[in-house]
Amino acid sequence: MAKRKRLTVPPLGGSAPTAAPETKSMIGPGLAPAPISRVTGEAAATAALREVAEELTSARSEGRLMLRLELDRIEEGWLVRDRLGIETEELASLMTSLATHGQRSPIEVADMGEGRFGLISGWRRVTALRRLLAETGEERFATVLAILRRPDTAAAAYVAMVEENEIRLGLSYFERARIAAKAVDAGVFATEKLALQQLYASASRAKRSKIGSFLGIYHVLDGALRFPSALPERLGLALARRLEEEAGFAARLVAALAAGAPDTAEAELQLIADQVAAEPATETPAAEAGQGADRPVPDAARAPRPRSAAPASEVRPGLFLKGAARGELVLYGPAVDEAFCERLRDWLTAQA
């Protein structure tokens, strides 16, 4: 058994007690024992770093962490954009704001993998930054602040895009109708009615009904209108009614737009208003049209079709009722589908 060595107590003010030389030699040359406090501290620091890393990863995936991404990693065509474009003056104003104050609000993106990100919302900001980068070449415009979103479905991504634009600036009725139709075309929603219900779930039924009316305008006049987003609500609803009521009106309006070639939104709106206010064109019955042009046309055929005795009224959300002067009764709107017609037919049969 090794013999115990007595510690030497130094005089007052001297160094701390030291072990005998034999004890020091047992530790080994150049080695020193690691204090328990240091080992414990290193373990705690490692655990803290791991926790921070996990929290950052969670925050990134949950959209609580702002990212700075290169513009060339943003896929703007990932969704069909709800905005038709941006006016020159509006774009210039946004560019000035970004150049002066920087980007204050992040865009929203979805991770597509392989370093690519699909744009959900923020198309105007991305467009302005790209223009600034092209004009100035400054590196500060080469990146964009973004928040990562993880929409469960394509429908959720479209809803997020629409909601963000509605909150920030608002979409025109034509743009609202267009994106509903485009989402159906892309297979995101089964029907336009379902698209309206989900894309504009927070809107009132009356507002969704109006958007539904603009769907008719989109289907008939998309491509013929140069400034469709400028079409105001009141004129648009009147236009939708005229398109639905008069079979030949769409062709005449398209021809008038092509002939007039309005180069401003104001001129186009005035042309549309004039066409909507005009009396219906005289129509020749088909039976007489094939019997020769020399046959006189009865006065009744020359007379314009009677206009409505009263404007249409919404009897329930999505269902409009209009009574015509000659005893006609017209029901129309998004609520008039095949199932509605079947129920109405059964009810009328039962009443008879």
Side-chain angles (χ1 to χ4, degrees):
M1 178 179 297
K3 187 177 180 180
R4 292 184 179 180
K5 301 294 182 179
R6 180 178 297 177
L7 292 177
T8 303
V9 181
L12 188 63
S15 59
T18 59
E22 291 83 353
T23 305
K24 289 184 179 180
S25 63
M26 295 175 62
I27 299 175
L31 297 179
I36 294 178
S37 59
R38 191 177 74 185
V39 174
T40 304
E42 290 176 352
T46 301
L49 287 173
R50 185 182 299 112
E51 184 178 351
V52 170
E54 291 174 352
E55 177 61 23
L56 287 174
T57 300
S58 175
R60 183 180 187 275
S61 63
E62 295 174 7
R64 295 183 285 112
L65 182 66
M66 195 177 300
L67 310 175
R68 182 173 291 279
L69 304 174
E70 292 83 1
L71 282 176
D72 57 11
R73 297 170 64 187
I74 305 298
E75 294 286 349
E76 297 170 54
W78 186 63
L79 296 178
V80 178
R81 307 319 308 172
D82 50 358
R83 290 205 175 277
L84 288 171
I86 181 171
E87 296 181 0
T88 303
E89 184 177 347
E90 181 185 353
L91 178 60
S93 176
L94 180 56
M95 290 170 62
T96 299
S97 175
L98 289 169
T100 304
H101 306 291
Q103 184 186 347
R104 291 174 171 174
S105 300
I107 65 172
E108 293 181 326
V109 297
D111 193 345
M112 300 171 61
E114 299 182 352
R116 311 298 296 174
F117 296 87
L119 182 64
I120 295 178
S121 64
W123 175 80
R124 294 166 64 251
R125 277 157 282 172
V126 171
T127 301
L129 285 170
R130 289 193 192 279
R131 183 71 64 84
L132 284 168
L133 179 62
E135 292 182 358
T136 67
E138 297 182 26
E139 285 300 315
R140 64 188 179 119
F141 301 127
T143 59
V144 60
L145 297 177
I147 290 178
L148 187 65
R149 300 297 187 199
R150 293 185 179 276
D152 296 329
T153 62
Y158 274 90
V159 169
M161 174 181 64
V162 169
E163 287 183 346
E164 199 268 353
N165 276 331
E166 288 282 10
I167 292 171
R168 289 185 58 82
L169 194 59
L171 299 167
S172 68
Y173 273 97
F174 188 92
E175 288 172 319
R176 293 180 179 117
R178 173 183 171 273
I179 195 58
K182 289 290 188 181
V184 173
D185 292 342
V188 178
F189 301 102
T191 65
E192 290 180 346
K193 181 178 181 181
L194 187 60
L196 292 175
Q197 291 174 343
Q198 293 197 28
L199 289 175
Y200 307 103
S202 59
S204 65
R205 289 186 176 181
K207 185 173 183 178
R208 286 199 299 271
S209 176
K210 293 174 183 177
I211 300 172
S213 296
F214 272 77
L215 274 168
I217 299 175
Y218 166 75
H219 288 305
V220 175
L221 298 178
D222 182 42
L225 297 174
R226 296 186 61 188
F227 308 95
S229 57
L231 189 62
E233 175 187 336
R234 188 169 182 176
L235 178 58
L237 293 176
L239 172 60
R241 287 194 295 269
R242 190 72 185 271
L243 287 170
E244 188 171 357
E245 293 169 2
E246 190 176 342
F249 179 73
R252 290 198 303 275
L253 178 57
V254 170
L257 288 166
D263 56 359
T264 65
E266 292 76 13
E268 184 171 84
L269 293 178
Q270 186 59 57
L271 188 153
I272 295 172
D274 293 342
Q275 292 292 318
V276 170
E279 289 293 323
T282 302
E283 298 179 0
T284 303
E288 296 181 3
Q291 297 179 10
D294 56 344
R295 179 170 178 173
V297 179
D299 291 340
R302 291 196 186 95
R305 191 168 64 181
R307 305 298 297 272
S308 293
S313 60
E314 189 173 19
V315 294
R316 81 175 205 197
L319 180 62
F320 293 86
L321 173 67
K322 172 178 283 191
R326 289 190 296 181
E328 295 179 340
L329 195 61
V330 181
L331 286 169
Y332 68 94
V336 181
D337 54 15
E338 186 176 350
F340 173 84
C341 293
E342 188 66 28
R343 292 195 302 272
L344 178 60
R345 189 180 298 110
D346 291 344
W347 181 81
L348 289 173
T349 301
Q351 296 303 312

